[in-house]
Amino acid sequence: MTSESVQPKSGPSRRTLVAAVGAAGLTVALTACGSEDEPSDPSTEQGVGGATNEGGGSSTGAGAGGAALAKTADIPEGSGKIFKDEKVVVSQPTAGDYKAFSTICTHRDCPMVDLKDDIISCTCHGSQFSVLDGSVKKGPAVEPLAAKQIRVEGDSITLA
């Protein structure tokens, strides 16, 4: 027999392995929360959200200008309706007064599709906004929703 001791080959420690797996998971989570397939359009954040039967306003939609969204009867008073493809929510704060806001959360740019009464909620981090005026009702978001231009002509609501 020989006098050499048997030592197991050293590999990464358990601590190193757990840290690497945790870092990989965190990277995936942050990438999912912060990525968006299309670039932000700063012009959509400068419009005013109100619309009355007079119409008017400048084109701020991303290629959707003039697209018919709904009939006025489709928008409940004191609430609103989400148009997922256009990334816009149209609301009717008071009878005959229509407003539109982006459905992209101002906290981390997550799309929002959860509307209950007059509150639209972000499922990414829990921010809540009023669809009547775009204001933040619950953080972590601190900026209001970006207003969108709409036009009301007769009983038709379109993006301006």
Side-chain angles (χ1 to χ4, degrees):
M1 277 202 182
T2 63
S3 63
E4 66 182 76
S5 61
V6 178
Q7 296 286 331
K9 290 186 178 181
S10 67
S13 69
R14 186 178 308 163
R15 181 177 292 166
T16 303
L17 185 61
V18 169
V21 169
L26 181 61
T27 301
V28 169
L30 290 176
T31 301
C33 288
S35 68
E36 187 173 327
D37 290 340
E38 42 187 75
S40 295
D41 181 4
S43 68
T44 62
E45 298 177 9
Q46 296 175 2
V48 211
T52 60
N53 286 334
E54 290 91 86
S58 62
S59 177
T60 59
L69 290 175
K71 300 288 183 192
T72 55
D74 296 337
I75 311 300
E77 185 178 343
S79 186
K81 183 175 180 181
I82 294 174
F83 298 92
K84 190 176 177 181
D85 291 343
E86 291 82 3
K87 298 178 184 168
V88 69
V89 59
V90 176
S91 64
Q92 185 179 188
T94 58
D97 180 30
Y98 298 91
K99 297 185 182 243
F101 300 95
S102 170
T103 57
I104 303 302
C105 181
T106 59
H107 175 239
R108 295 282 184 208
D109 296 329
C110 291
M112 297 184 289
V113 294
D114 184 23
L115 175 64
K116 289 187 176 81
D117 299 320
D118 66 335
I119 301 294
I120 188 169
S121 301
C122 179
T123 57
C124 290
H125 301 106
S127 293
Q128 294 181 339
F129 302 86
S130 168
V131 297
L132 305 181
D133 61 9
S135 64
V136 176
K137 294 300 180 184
K138 179 182 169 195
V142 294
E143 296 292 323
L145 294 175
K148 296 286 188 169
Q149 288 287 325
I150 55 172
R151 186 175 327 203
V152 180
E153 293 176 357
D155 67 346
S156 181
I157 300 173
T158 59
L159 287 172

